[in-house]
Amino acid sequence: DGGWSVGAEGAVRRAPGLPVDVVDTTGAGDSFDAGYLAAVWHGVADEPERLRWAATAGSLSTLGAGGTGRQATLAELGRA
């Protein structure tokens, strides 16, 4: 269903997942984390946008079998 974060001031931010035909959820949480870290690494300063990257990475990872069967590309994270 997406993801969320809580800032230091207590504000909750949310980002929806993508509507996909799920093959396997193995590794989706790890992919969510990787998408978030990729956004930070690429200088995305906006928390809702970092969460969108994370939710996109987690969603797309469910399209392949196993924990690494389908990983989001940087191009997919930037345009989803």
Side-chain angles (χ1 to χ4, degrees), residues 20-78:
V20 296
D21 293 324
V22 175
V23 172
D24 185 357
T25 61
T26 302
D30 292 334
S31 294
F32 176 94
D33 294 344
Y36 188 92
L37 292 173
V40 171
W41 179 258
H42 286 279
V44 177
D46 184 57
E47 180 65 6
E49 181 66 5
R50 289 191 296 250
L51 284 172
R52 189 193 62 73
W53 280 43
T56 297
S59 296
L60 293 178
S61 76
T62 68
L63 295 176
T68 59
R70 171 65 166 89
Q71 296 298 303
T73 66
L74 184 57
E76 289 171 325
L77 294 177

